[in-house]
């Protein structure tokens, strides 16, 4: 069974993002970029499935600019066997990415697609669900445990009320949550091996997909700064301020 793992290049989670002065987006000039943390968990899970014998090949996929090759090399250093870059300088929104992935799924025929539940840059949480709909395949989102048993997968999901365990028929789409696993440390020998693994580059046109944006960003702004708190001498004063100033009671 092949496992396809989409990975996204995002601003590193340790970096404090800055909004451009003209409000058109986030400033990424000279900013450290890395693999989306949820996608890193997805790669780790795919590699573990291969180590258990449930999968035979792990294919990492990324959609975006040329520099996404670095992200794919990281995925191969973790354990992916090969990589595919869908190279594009256009703004790729979730639906466009889902269509690109659907085209690759039809080409590669993986038994399982594992991807992060969301990207930490736009927090859309849409690509996995859209991909499952386009492929008309079962989906299990927010996975905290994945077990492949023959032609089915048993997935434990994180939901508002606790945990939910479901069984889905393969082929299927799974999106990962934070508690699924802890990605391994990438060693230098594996980084060197990753440089020799095959990396294919294709264009959206090669897959017959139109990636033109469907949504337009009007303005990007930082959240308002939080005001300083105040101290009150007693409960009566607190209640009075909540009632007459804040008007929340």
């Amino acid at each position: 069974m092949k496992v396809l793992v989409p990975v996204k290049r995002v601003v590193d989670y340790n970096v404090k993002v800055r909004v451009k002065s003209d409000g058109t987006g986030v400033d990424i000039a000279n900013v450290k970029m890395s693999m989306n943390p949820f996608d890193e968990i997805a790669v780790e899970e795919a590699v573990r499935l291969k180590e258990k014998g449930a999968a035979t090949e792990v294919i990492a996929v990324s959609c975006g600019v040329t520099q996404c090759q670095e992200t794919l090399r990281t995925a191969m250093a973790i354990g992916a066997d090969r990589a595919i870059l869908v190279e594009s300088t256009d703004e790729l929104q979730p639906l466009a990415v889902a269509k690109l992935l659907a085209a690759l799924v039809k080409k590669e025929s993986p038994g399982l697609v594992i991807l992060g539940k969301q990207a930490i840059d736009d927090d859309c949480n849409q690509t996995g669900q859209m991909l499952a709909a386009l492929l008309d395949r079962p989906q299990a989102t927010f996975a905290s445990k994945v077990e492949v048993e023959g032609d089915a997968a048993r997935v434990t999901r994180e939901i508002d009320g606790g945990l939910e365990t479901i069984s889905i028929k393969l082929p299927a789409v799974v999106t990962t949550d934070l508690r699924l696993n802890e990605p391994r440390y990438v060693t230098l020998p594996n980084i060197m091996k990753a440089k020799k693994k095959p990396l294919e580059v294709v264009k959206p046109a090669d897959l017959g997909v139109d990636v033109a944006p469907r949504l337009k960003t009007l303005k990007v702004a930082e959240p308002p700064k939080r005001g300083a708190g105040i101290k009150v001498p007693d409960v009566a004063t607190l209640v009075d301020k909540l009632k007459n100033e804040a008007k929340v009671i």
Side-chain angles (χ1 to χ4, degrees), residues 95-110:
L95 180 58
V97 174
K99 287 180 177 179
L100 291 170
L101 295 176
L104 286 173
V105 167
K106 290 172 183 176
K107 178 183 175 183
E108 295 288 344
S109 300

Side-chain angles (χ1 to χ4, degrees), residues 9-143:
R9 178 177 180 262
V10 299
V11 175
D12 190 88
Y13 67 92
N14 289 311
V15 173
K16 180 174 173 56
V17 296
R18 300 186 305 275
V19 175
K20 293 180 180 177
S21 57
D22 58 3
T24 57
V26 173
D27 186 6
I28 59 172
N30 301 316
V31 170
K32 182 184 178 185
M33 309 292 283
S34 61
M35 187 190 300
N36 179 47
F38 291 103
D39 297 339
E40 193 173 359
I41 291 169
V43 176
E44 173 66 27
E45 191 63 24
V47 173
R48 290 188 185 189
L49 287 174
K50 184 184 175 185
E51 291 171 346
K52 291 175 184 176
T56 55
E57 185 181 30
V58 177
I59 309 163
V61 178
S62 192
C63 305
V65 296
T66 306
Q67 291 88 333
C68 290
Q69 291 189 27
E70 301 167 11
T71 307
L72 290 171
R73 292 293 178 194
T74 301
M76 289 190 284
I78 293 173
D81 298 292
R82 58 188 173 95
I84 303 171
L85 170 62
V86 183
E87 191 174 44
S88 175
T89 55
D90 296 325
E91 177 195 355
L92 297 177
Q93 295 176 350
L95 180 58
V97 174
K99 287 180 177 179
L100 291 170
L101 295 176
L104 286 173
V105 167
K106 290 172 183 176
K107 178 183 175 183
E108 295 288 344
S109 300
L112 191 61
V113 180
I114 306 179
L115 64 162
K117 69 172 184 177
Q118 65 193 75
I120 62 172
D121 52 2
D122 56 23
D123 277 334
C124 281
N125 183 15
Q126 296 173 346
T127 305
Q129 292 89 329
M130 287 178 171
L131 176 61
L134 290 170
L135 296 171
D136 193 25
R137 290 187 176 184
Q139 60 176 309
T141 55
F142 318 127

Side-chain angles (χ1 to χ4, degrees), residues 180-195:
L180 179 58
N181 62 53
E182 185 175 339
R184 68 193 68 188
Y185 178 76
V186 179
T187 62
L188 183 58
N190 286 336
I191 292 173
M192 300 306 292
K193 289 177 184 176
K195 292 181 179 180

Side-chain angles (χ1 to χ4, degrees), residues 134-237:
L134 290 170
L135 296 171
D136 193 25
R137 290 187 176 184
Q139 60 176 309
T141 55
F142 318 127
S144 61
K145 187 176 182 181
V146 177
E147 298 171 300
V148 175
E149 302 166 348
D151 62 347
R154 186 179 176 87
V155 181
T156 301
R157 303 179 60 238
E158 304 247 347
I159 60 174
D160 291 341
L163 298 175
E164 175 186 58
T165 301
I166 62 174
S167 179
I168 54 174
K169 289 286 185 181
L170 299 178
V173 177
V174 173
T175 71
T176 64
D177 215 319
L178 278 175
R179 280 160 288 278
L180 179 58
N181 62 53
E182 185 175 339
R184 68 193 68 188
Y185 178 76
V186 179
T187 62
L188 183 58
N190 286 336
I191 292 173
M192 300 306 292
K193 289 177 184 176
K195 292 181 179 180
K196 297 179 181 179
K197 292 183 179 180
L199 194 160
E200 181 185 356
V201 180
V202 298
K203 302 286 185 182
D206 299 333
L207 301 173
V209 177
D210 176 17
V211 295
R214 304 299 180 92
L215 304 173
K216 182 180 180 182
T217 301
L218 300 179
K219 185 180 180 183
V220 178
E222 292 186 14
K225 295 190 182 299
R226 187 174 178 178
I230 61 170
K231 290 183 178 181
V232 293
D234 49 46
V235 174
T237 307

